[in-house]
Amino acid sequence: MEHDSFNRNVASGCTLLGLLVVLTLAAGAQQLPRFDFPFAHARWLWYYEYTNAFDTCIVRYTVGEFALLGSDTVALINLRVPKAEVRYGGLATLCVQGSSALGRDSLLESRGKTQPFEIRSGSALRFYRRLEGTIVCDTTIEPPRRGRLYPSAELINTVDEGWYLFAGCIPDRTEFVLELVRESDGTVLLTLDSIGVLPNPNAPKPVRYGTEPDRRIRTVALPQSLWGERAYVRISPRRWGPTPYGMTWQAVSRFVAESLFYPDSDTLARIPAWLDSAYVAGLWNERNRAIFAFVDSVGRCTGCATWHPIFLTADGDTAKESAMRDSLIGMIDERGYVRAGNRNPYDLRDTALQRCFALQFAEEEQYVRTFDEYDSSYSAAARSASGVTIDRWIRRHTPRPGELLSLVTPFVREGDPVVFSAAEPLGSVTIRFFDISGRLAKEFAVQLHKGTNSLDVQLVSGGYFVEVSGGKLPQPLRKAILVVR
């Protein structure tokens, strides 16, 4: 979605706490998120990458950007991603080796699914998929003809030109099928897409087959018989051939929608979009301009600017990126928006900053909760306190030498307990909870024992300050806490 129209949506709603999964569009224009902000768009810009690797070449299939298109709305559909496997600063998961068996890879098929959605009347499913072949290592073999030089004098299919490999370097037939599956019983309702590539024993350019295998964007109208069904999309990878290992799977995220770097227009172009330096630089410049508009819209709506996306350039110009960051901070301070850098984050009396932190924490929590098998730190801590399990998270948050007491759960869900960790028995203490205006919300007199101590507080959602005093504490412990629904 273009950032100007998105900013208007944010300003009118004056909240970022709800993930934007349905975009209402003017005049039927079906525009989708382009960049990795807000968090709802960042979550949507995750992709699956499947790789069938050989000695000198690989076949790779990338899929993502699923969306349900209506006449005037777009519902974003996220890929399922295991939270426990997310690595590399939250940008990718671990790489998983698939089955060595031929045919359908049931192991990788079980991982390749979207989150379920309801099929609306008159809707169509839109998605991005890219099939490519690549040479991956140096070789003394005579290099193949790489097609025409870029830029070409005339329009050509640059996607097709990119498939010149070494003859015989792809021994397997590799195929990817997208199936629409009913959520309740696993029945395949519709085959949405099927593309693949054949071995190339005698020719440098292998044959691709299926429904327009060189195109990247597909839109499939969903028949009336499926309206009202709850379903998900399953990616079914398949291979046949002599290689013994099978494919790999990985989930990755992007700062910019990948379909913008690999558009369908490449099938009739003079140069591939991803090689067009002016075009690529324009995309990064557009993203950087959108950051200013995004942060300003959030500031006008909430008064807060405690988080913003990082600036990036096509050529990795760190000086330019730093200058843009300084310029953004100048704009934030000039307009009086609250940010962590111009306040004391440890001052619990600064209710404006604590409110902004609460908003940020709540949105981040909603983002990570969209990952599969997400188990928040406070839930793990609460179970540890009840004796169900001992989580390493608790051990990492026990008091350091010299500290007698620490707050294990800086944010909790409504109804979950607040957990403290004591280095030794602290005796009878008073625990008070204040709302962000400074009013006393709850007060408890409790005995704190060595180890984890769980307190059933029953606070409604919002930001609070907790103060623990008395007992063997030489001075009160004061911390901020966030309660979310």
Side-chain angles (χ1 to χ4, degrees), residues 347-351 354-355 432-438 463-467 479-481:
D347 184 0
L348 297 183
R349 296 167 298 179
D350 189 344
T351 57
Q354 299 304 330
R355 178 182 62 83
R432 298 183 178 91
F433 292 86
F434 302 89
D435 63 22
I436 58 175
S437 66
Y464 296 87
F465 311 115
V466 57
E467 178 185 86
K479 295 289 184 180
I481 191 170

mmCIF file of all heavy atoms in Angstrom, residues 347-351 354-355 432-438 463-467 479-481:
data_model
loop_
_atom_site.group_PDB
_atom_site.id
_atom_site.type_symbol
_atom_site.label_atom_id
_atom_site.label_comp_id
_atom_site.label_asym_id
_atom_site.label_seq_id
_atom_site.Cartn_x
_atom_site.Cartn_y
_atom_site.Cartn_z
ATOM 1 N N ASP A 347 12.731 7.030 34.673
ATOM 2 C CA ASP A 347 11.907 7.910 35.493
ATOM 3 C C ASP A 347 10.459 7.442 35.420
ATOM 4 O O ASP A 347 9.746 7.734 34.452
ATOM 5 C CB ASP A 347 12.037 9.357 35.003
ATOM 6 C CG ASP A 347 11.275 10.340 35.883
ATOM 7 O OD1 ASP A 347 10.645 9.890 36.879
ATOM 8 O OD2 ASP A 347 11.299 11.541 35.578
ATOM 9 N N LEU A 348 10.016 6.704 36.425
ATOM 10 C CA LEU A 348 8.658 6.171 36.413
ATOM 11 C C LEU A 348 7.608 7.256 36.590
ATOM 12 O O LEU A 348 6.424 7.010 36.370
ATOM 13 C CB LEU A 348 8.508 5.111 37.507
ATOM 14 C CG LEU A 348 9.402 3.874 37.354
ATOM 15 C CD1 LEU A 348 9.110 2.871 38.457
ATOM 16 C CD2 LEU A 348 9.223 3.234 35.995
ATOM 17 N N ARG A 349 8.041 8.464 36.986
ATOM 18 C CA ARG A 349 7.090 9.563 37.102
ATOM 19 C C ARG A 349 6.796 10.194 35.750
ATOM 20 O O ARG A 349 5.864 10.994 35.613
ATOM 21 C CB ARG A 349 7.642 10.628 38.061
ATOM 22 C CG ARG A 349 7.818 10.121 39.494
ATOM 23 C CD ARG A 349 8.649 11.081 40.311
ATOM 24 N NE ARG A 349 9.997 11.212 39.758
ATOM 25 C CZ ARG A 349 10.948 11.998 40.244
ATOM 26 N NH1 ARG A 349 10.697 12.732 41.307
ATOM 27 N NH2 ARG A 349 12.134 12.043 39.681
ATOM 28 N N ASP A 350 7.596 9.871 34.721
ATOM 29 C CA ASP A 350 7.383 10.392 33.367
ATOM 30 C C ASP A 350 6.269 9.570 32.716
ATOM 31 O O ASP A 350 6.513 8.622 31.971
ATOM 32 C CB ASP A 350 8.674 10.309 32.559
ATOM 33 C CG ASP A 350 8.573 11.027 31.212
ATOM 34 O OD1 ASP A 350 7.440 11.317 30.781
ATOM 35 O OD2 ASP A 350 9.631 11.297 30.609
ATOM 36 N N THR A 351 5.044 9.916 33.016
ATOM 37 C CA THR A 351 3.911 9.116 32.552
ATOM 38 C C THR A 351 3.773 9.143 31.033
ATOM 39 O O THR A 351 3.297 8.172 30.439
ATOM 40 C CB THR A 351 2.608 9.608 33.192
ATOM 41 O OG1 THR A 351 2.423 10.999 32.891
ATOM 42 C CG2 THR A 351 2.647 9.422 34.705
ATOM 43 N N GLN A 354 6.245 6.507 29.739
ATOM 44 C CA GLN A 354 5.797 5.163 30.098
ATOM 45 C C GLN A 354 4.576 4.759 29.272
ATOM 46 O O GLN A 354 4.428 3.595 28.886
ATOM 47 C CB GLN A 354 5.493 5.091 31.597
ATOM 48 C CG GLN A 354 6.683 5.388 32.493
ATOM 49 C CD GLN A 354 7.870 4.482 32.221
ATOM 50 O OE1 GLN A 354 7.712 3.338 31.810
ATOM 51 N NE2 GLN A 354 9.077 4.995 32.457
ATOM 52 N N ARG A 355 3.700 5.726 28.964
ATOM 53 C CA ARG A 355 2.550 5.427 28.115
ATOM 54 C C ARG A 355 3.013 5.036 26.715
ATOM 55 O O ARG A 355 2.497 4.083 26.111
ATOM 56 C CB ARG A 355 1.617 6.640 28.032
ATOM 57 C CG ARG A 355 0.407 6.426 27.119
ATOM 58 C CD ARG A 355 -0.452 7.679 27.048
ATOM 59 N NE ARG A 355 0.286 8.800 26.494
ATOM 60 C CZ ARG A 355 0.452 9.006 25.173
ATOM 61 N NH1 ARG A 355 -0.064 8.144 24.315
ATOM 62 N NH2 ARG A 355 1.112 10.050 24.735
ATOM 63 N N ARG A 432 2.831 -2.525 45.584
ATOM 64 C CA ARG A 432 1.802 -1.579 45.120
ATOM 65 C C ARG A 432 1.885 -1.434 43.603
ATOM 66 O O ARG A 432 2.980 -1.394 43.037
ATOM 67 C CB ARG A 432 1.981 -0.210 45.785
ATOM 68 C CG ARG A 432 1.838 -0.212 47.300
ATOM 69 C CD ARG A 432 1.971 1.209 47.838
ATOM 70 N NE ARG A 432 1.796 1.272 49.290
ATOM 71 C CZ ARG A 432 2.786 1.174 50.157
ATOM 72 N NH1 ARG A 432 4.049 1.010 49.714
ATOM 73 N NH2 ARG A 432 2.566 1.222 51.464
ATOM 74 N N PHE A 433 0.724 -1.331 42.981
ATOM 75 C CA PHE A 433 0.635 -1.092 41.546
ATOM 76 C C PHE A 433 -0.061 0.249 41.322
ATOM 77 O O PHE A 433 -1.163 0.473 41.836
ATOM 78 C CB PHE A 433 -0.157 -2.210 40.849
ATOM 79 C CG PHE A 433 0.552 -3.534 40.861
ATOM 80 C CD1 PHE A 433 0.415 -4.392 41.949
ATOM 81 C CD2 PHE A 433 1.343 -3.921 39.797
ATOM 82 C CE1 PHE A 433 1.064 -5.618 41.974
ATOM 83 C CE2 PHE A 433 2.008 -5.144 39.810
ATOM 84 C CZ PHE A 433 1.863 -5.996 40.899
ATOM 85 N N PHE A 434 0.593 1.135 40.550
ATOM 86 C CA PHE A 434 0.041 2.446 40.230
ATOM 87 C C PHE A 434 -0.237 2.511 38.733
ATOM 88 O O PHE A 434 0.544 1.992 37.923
ATOM 89 C CB PHE A 434 1.026 3.562 40.602
ATOM 90 C CG PHE A 434 1.414 3.576 42.057
ATOM 91 C CD1 PHE A 434 2.497 2.831 42.516
ATOM 92 C CD2 PHE A 434 0.705 4.339 42.976
ATOM 93 C CE1 PHE A 434 2.869 2.841 43.850
ATOM 94 C CE2 PHE A 434 1.065 4.362 44.320
ATOM 95 C CZ PHE A 434 2.155 3.606 44.757
ATOM 96 N N ASP A 435 -1.348 3.159 38.366
ATOM 97 C CA ASP A 435 -1.584 3.358 36.934
ATOM 98 C C ASP A 435 -0.701 4.499 36.443
ATOM 99 O O ASP A 435 0.041 5.111 37.220
ATOM 100 C CB ASP A 435 -3.068 3.601 36.633
ATOM 101 C CG ASP A 435 -3.605 4.885 37.276
ATOM 102 O OD1 ASP A 435 -2.806 5.791 37.585
ATOM 103 O OD2 ASP A 435 -4.836 4.973 37.460
ATOM 104 N N ILE A 436 -0.749 4.776 35.126
ATOM 105 C CA ILE A 436 0.199 5.737 34.564
ATOM 106 C C ILE A 436 -0.075 7.167 35.014
ATOM 107 O O ILE A 436 0.760 8.047 34.815
ATOM 108 C CB ILE A 436 0.208 5.661 33.019
ATOM 109 C CG1 ILE A 436 -1.189 5.931 32.447
ATOM 110 C CG2 ILE A 436 0.735 4.328 32.543
ATOM 111 C CD1 ILE A 436 -1.216 5.984 30.938
ATOM 112 N N SER A 437 -1.235 7.412 35.621
ATOM 113 C CA SER A 437 -1.496 8.739 36.177
ATOM 114 C C SER A 437 -1.004 8.866 37.605
ATOM 115 O O SER A 437 -1.092 9.942 38.210
ATOM 116 C CB SER A 437 -2.998 9.038 36.119
ATOM 117 O OG SER A 437 -3.718 8.172 36.982
ATOM 118 N N GLY A 438 -0.477 7.762 38.169
ATOM 119 C CA GLY A 438 0.057 7.793 39.526
ATOM 120 C C GLY A 438 -0.918 7.362 40.597
ATOM 121 O O GLY A 438 -0.568 7.348 41.776
ATOM 122 N N GLY A 463 -0.766 0.451 31.141
ATOM 123 C CA GLY A 463 0.561 0.586 31.714
ATOM 124 C C GLY A 463 0.490 0.868 33.213
ATOM 125 O O GLY A 463 -0.402 1.593 33.689
ATOM 126 N N TYR A 464 1.419 0.273 33.971
ATOM 127 C CA TYR A 464 1.446 0.432 35.421
ATOM 128 C C TYR A 464 2.891 0.571 35.900
ATOM 129 O O TYR A 464 3.840 0.218 35.183
ATOM 130 C CB TYR A 464 0.811 -0.780 36.120
ATOM 131 C CG TYR A 464 -0.654 -0.975 35.822
ATOM 132 C CD1 TYR A 464 -1.057 -1.712 34.713
ATOM 133 C CD2 TYR A 464 -1.636 -0.420 36.641
ATOM 134 C CE1 TYR A 464 -2.399 -1.896 34.422
ATOM 135 C CE2 TYR A 464 -2.983 -0.601 36.368
ATOM 136 C CZ TYR A 464 -3.356 -1.332 35.252
ATOM 137 O OH TYR A 464 -4.692 -1.509 34.977
ATOM 138 N N PHE A 465 3.036 1.054 37.111
ATOM 139 C CA PHE A 465 4.301 1.039 37.830
ATOM 140 C C PHE A 465 4.124 0.139 39.046
ATOM 141 O O PHE A 465 3.098 0.193 39.719
ATOM 142 C CB PHE A 465 4.701 2.437 38.298
ATOM 143 C CG PHE A 465 4.615 3.470 37.208
ATOM 144 C CD1 PHE A 465 3.700 4.517 37.295
ATOM 145 C CD2 PHE A 465 5.438 3.400 36.107
ATOM 146 C CE1 PHE A 465 3.616 5.462 36.299
ATOM 147 C CE2 PHE A 465 5.354 4.340 35.103
ATOM 148 C CZ PHE A 465 4.438 5.382 35.193
ATOM 149 N N VAL A 466 5.096 -0.707 39.289
ATOM 150 C CA VAL A 466 5.046 -1.583 40.449
ATOM 151 C C VAL A 466 6.157 -1.158 41.410
ATOM 152 O O VAL A 466 7.280 -0.875 40.996
ATOM 153 C CB VAL A 466 5.187 -3.069 40.055
ATOM 154 C CG1 VAL A 466 6.465 -3.323 39.283
ATOM 155 C CG2 VAL A 466 5.125 -3.964 41.282
ATOM 156 N N GLU A 467 5.814 -1.103 42.689
ATOM 157 C CA GLU A 467 6.776 -0.738 43.729
ATOM 158 C C GLU A 467 6.734 -1.803 44.810
ATOM 159 O O GLU A 467 5.668 -2.141 45.324
ATOM 160 C CB GLU A 467 6.424 0.626 44.328
ATOM 161 C CG GLU A 467 7.362 1.049 45.450
ATOM 162 C CD GLU A 467 6.914 2.336 46.099
ATOM 163 O OE1 GLU A 467 6.072 2.267 47.019
ATOM 164 O OE2 GLU A 467 7.379 3.402 45.661
ATOM 165 N N LYS A 479 9.562 -0.618 39.075
ATOM 166 C CA LYS A 479 9.626 -1.037 37.684
ATOM 167 C C LYS A 479 8.327 -0.667 36.971
ATOM 168 O O LYS A 479 7.276 -0.505 37.599
ATOM 169 C CB LYS A 479 9.822 -2.557 37.572
ATOM 170 C CG LYS A 479 11.166 -3.057 38.131
ATOM 171 C CD LYS A 479 12.318 -2.643 37.232
ATOM 172 C CE LYS A 479 13.640 -3.216 37.738
ATOM 173 N NZ LYS A 479 14.777 -2.814 36.881
ATOM 174 N N ALA A 480 8.433 -0.548 35.642
ATOM 175 C CA ALA A 480 7.241 -0.355 34.812
ATOM 176 C C ALA A 480 6.750 -1.717 34.345
ATOM 177 O O ALA A 480 7.524 -2.659 34.156
ATOM 178 C CB ALA A 480 7.573 0.529 33.614
ATOM 179 N N ILE A 481 5.440 -1.823 34.154
ATOM 180 C CA ILE A 481 4.848 -3.088 33.730
ATOM 181 C C ILE A 481 3.707 -2.782 32.768
ATOM 182 O O ILE A 481 3.026 -1.752 32.884
ATOM 183 C CB ILE A 481 4.361 -3.902 34.944
ATOM 184 C CG1 ILE A 481 3.980 -5.331 34.547
ATOM 185 C CG2 ILE A 481 3.205 -3.219 35.658
ATOM 186 C CD1 ILE A 481 3.730 -6.240 35.727
#
